[in-house]
Amino acid sequence: MEIKDTIIIAKEFGDTAGARDYDDGDYSGKEFYDKFLLPRFNKAVEGKYALLIDIDGFWGWPSSFVSGSFGLLSKEKGAKIVLDHLEFKCDSNPMKIEKAKYIISNPEKK
């Protein structure tokens, strides 16, 4: 699937990951989900293209942030559609990509 949009998290959202929910403090996974991920993901699905998530330059990648954003998306939309429409880039730490894909594939575990 062709990539037609990119979210560079460190530039658009902030350079530091928070925890899961708004109540947990700034830069939460839920805030990222509400303001960036869900709206852009929905456009990608409607437009039948992939959304690239660029993680480079984003400090931290706690499970609470990832499950509060990507895991929630997977719970709501289904793992297959999420994996079909999201691509990830993280040259600095490819394990962050694996963590995101694992949580998307297993959102109920977090």
Side-chain angles (χ1 to χ4, degrees):
M1 190 170 300
E2 183 181 359
I3 296 169
K4 292 187 178 180
D5 189 11
T6 301
I7 297 174
I8 302 172
I9 299 176
K11 289 185 180 174
E12 295 183 52
F13 179 66
D15 63 358
T16 304
R20 182 181 321 275
D21 296 312
Y22 286 101
D23 292 344
D24 297 324
D26 294 336
Y27 305 104
S28 69
K30 182 71 165 97
E31 181 182 0
F32 176 71
Y33 172 84
D34 288 339
K35 294 181 179 177
F36 295 90
L37 183 58
L38 182 60
R40 306 265 286 273
F41 177 81
N42 285 338
K43 286 181 183 177
V45 172
E46 291 169 14
K48 298 181 177 151
Y49 60 84
L51 170 62
L52 178 65
I53 307 297
D54 187 335
I55 308 167
D56 281 317
F58 190 59
W59 188 84
W61 196 239
S63 296
S64 57
F65 178 89
V66 180
S67 65
S69 53
F70 298 99
L72 180 58
L73 185 67
S74 181
K75 283 180 187 176
E76 292 187 356
K77 303 292 186 177
K80 182 178 180 346
I81 194 167
V82 172
L83 292 171
D84 285 349
H85 288 276
L86 288 185
E87 297 285 334
F88 293 90
K89 176 188 176 297
C90 190
D91 296 333
S92 63
N93 186 349
M95 290 302 296
K96 288 182 176 182
I97 296 171
E98 296 308 312
K99 183 179 201 174
K101 288 181 177 180
Y102 176 81
I103 288 176
I104 290 167
S105 297
N106 304 281
E108 67 286 345
K109 296 197 180 208
K110 293 285 177 190

